[in-house]
Amino acid sequence: MADKQTVISKILSGKYQPAKAVVDVFAPANIALCKYWGKRNLELNLPVTDSLSLSLGTLGSHCKLSDTDKATDRIVLNGNELSAEHPFVKRLVTFLDLFREHPSERFCIETTNTIPTAAGFASSASGFAAVVKALDRRYGWQLPAAQLSILARMGSGSASRSLWQGFVRWHAGQSDDGMDSVSEPLESQWEEICIGLLVLNRNQKKIGSTEAMKRTVETSALYRAWPQQVERDMTCMLSAIEQRDFEMLGKTAETNALAMHATMMAACPPVLYWQPESLIAMQTVWQARNEGLPVYFTMDAGPNIKLVFQKADQDAIEKRFEGLVTANPWEDD
Ligand code: PMV
C-alpha cells in the first residue's frame, strides 16, 4: 500500500527551487454541508465518501513560514509559542518532516487563526492548507491547487477542501495512493448564501475526529447506511445549488449533519459532541423556521453550531442568535 512519502515523491520530485526565507499566506476554513465521516485509508486520510463544503471567506488561517537556526521547529499559534510536547506541535512537525528539502532545516511557523481553534470550527483544515501553501511558496513548487489539495489532505482530511473559496467538492477517489482523492471548486457562485458560526463552548474537544471516525466505522451498526445517505444528499445538494433552491440545500445539509451524528452516537462507546447548548441552539433554529425565518444548521466534531442562511435574512438572524459570527463564503482575504 502507498505511504505518504511515496505519494509526495510522485508530486514533488524535481520541483524544489531555491528556498525563500520568509513567506506569508492565508487559507480559508471550510464547513461541510455534506460531511466526510470515515476513512478508507488512515495513513493517507482517504475518505469513504465524497463531501461538499462552503469556505468561510476571510475566516481561516494566516501562516508565516520562516527559517530558524534553533535545533527544533518553532510553532507559534495565535501569538503563543507552543512547547514541543503540545499535540498540535507533534502533529505539525511530523507533517513538516515529509517536506524538508534538507533533513537539518528547521522552520518557524506562525499561525494565526481568525476562527476559534479546535472547537469544531475546522481550524485544522485551514491550518494544514495554509502550511502546504506556504511550503509551495517557500520552495517554488508552483503546484496547481488540486495537487496542493492532495498534500493538505495528508495533514488533515478536510484541509483538502481549504484551497478555494465558495463551494468545494472533495472526490473520494478509488486509487490506493489517493492521487484521485482530490478536491475541486464548483463553478457556481451563490453569493446570497452565508454561514454563521455560533460559538457555544470554547473547550477543546475530548475526542479527535480521526479516533471518532475510526470508532464509528468499526463499531456503529448505523455506519453501513452512511455511504448511501451521502450519495443521496450529494445529488440533492448539487441540484439545489444548480436550481438556487435554498430550502432544499438547507434541509439536506441539516439532515446530513444529524445523520452523521446518529452514526457516531451508535458507536461503542458512543461519540457525542453535543452539549446542552448545542441542543438548545438546534431547537431555536427549528423555532425560527416555524416562525418563517429560513435558517438551517450543521454541526461537526465539536459542540458548536453553524447556521446556513441567506444574506437577506442576516440582520434578523444575527438578532435572534446573539454573538453569531457571519462569514461570506466568496470573500477573499
Ligand atoms: O479533517 P478532519 O479530520 O478534521 O475531519 C473533519 C470531519 C468533519 O468536520 C466532522 C466533517 C467534514 O467534512 O469536515
Side-chain angles (χ1 to χ4, degrees), residues 38-50:
K39 306 184 197 219
R40 64 183 165 88
N41 177 320
L42 278 168
E43 151 103 7
L44 299 175
N45 287 335
L46 299 180
V48 173
T49 68
D50 285 18

Side-chain angles (χ1 to χ4, degrees), residues 119-120 205 261 273-274 278 299-306:
K205 51 192 176 190
H261 284 275
Y273 287 111
W274 298 24
S278 324
M299 184 181 171
D300 295 289
N304 298 308
I305 297 284
K306 292 94 184 189

Side-chain angles (χ1 to χ4, degrees), residues 4-227:
K4 283 182 182 160
Q5 206 66 71
T6 316
V7 175
I8 287 168
S9 305
K10 264 188 205 166
I11 295 177
L12 293 179
S13 134
K15 289 269 191 314
Y16 282 76
Q17 303 297 321
K20 286 203 181 66
V22 185
V23 296
D24 214 328
V25 299
F26 172 80
N30 73 78
I31 300 297
L33 300 181
C34 187
K35 307 290 186 190
Y36 144 58
W37 197 252
K39 306 184 197 219
R40 64 183 165 88
N41 177 320
L42 278 168
E43 151 103 7
L44 299 175
N45 287 335
L46 299 180
V48 173
T49 68
D50 285 18
S51 56
L52 179 77
S53 62
L54 256 180
S55 288
L56 295 189
T58 58
L59 299 184
S61 301
H62 293 269
C63 174
K64 184 170 165 195
L65 188 157
S66 53
D67 292 311
T68 175
D69 47 19
K70 296 263 158 49
T72 55
D73 295 315
R74 293 181 54 220
I75 311 295
V76 180
L77 181 61
N78 295 332
N80 302 313
E81 183 151 357
L82 303 179
S83 89
E85 300 315 310
H86 194 287
F88 175 68
V89 173
K90 288 189 175 164
R91 187 169 163 199
L92 188 52
V93 168
T94 310
F95 186 67
L96 292 169
D97 286 344
L98 298 164
F99 300 100
R100 297 179 213 278
E101 188 179 17
H102 307 289
S104 60
E105 84 190 311
R106 293 291 171 264
F107 304 123
C108 174
I109 303 261
E110 294 165 76
T111 294
T112 308
N113 288 327
T114 47
I115 45 167
T117 299
F121 280 142
S123 53
S124 71
S126 54
F128 278 98
V131 164
V132 163
K133 279 173 99 168
L135 289 165
D136 180 73
R137 192 78 64 81
R138 172 182 172 83
Y139 291 124
W141 298 331
Q142 297 190 316
L143 292 178
Q147 300 226 326
L148 292 178
S149 125
I150 295 181
L151 301 181
R153 188 240 299 144
M154 291 194 261
S156 166
S158 52
S160 81
R161 300 185 307 241
S162 268
L163 278 307
W164 303 269
Q165 298 288 3
F167 288 112
V168 178
R169 179 177 187 171
W170 175 13
H171 299 274
Q174 291 181 335
S175 68
D176 282 347
D177 63 4
M179 293 300 280
D180 56 355
S181 183
V182 185
S183 295
E184 62 167 353
L186 298 194
E187 268 172 28
S188 185
Q189 297 215 350
W190 188 353
E191 297 193 354
E192 285 75 38
I193 304 281
C194 302
I195 294 257
L197 305 179
L198 201 50
V199 185
L200 301 166
N201 187 317
R202 283 180 188 271
N203 294 337
Q204 299 277 317
K205 51 192 176 190
K206 290 201 177 62
I207 169 167
S209 52
T210 296
E211 172 57 25
M213 284 185 204
K214 190 163 173 286
R215 196 188 294 170
T216 310
V217 173
E218 286 171 2
T219 68
S220 171
L222 300 188
Y223 192 73
R224 223 169 297 144
W226 176 245

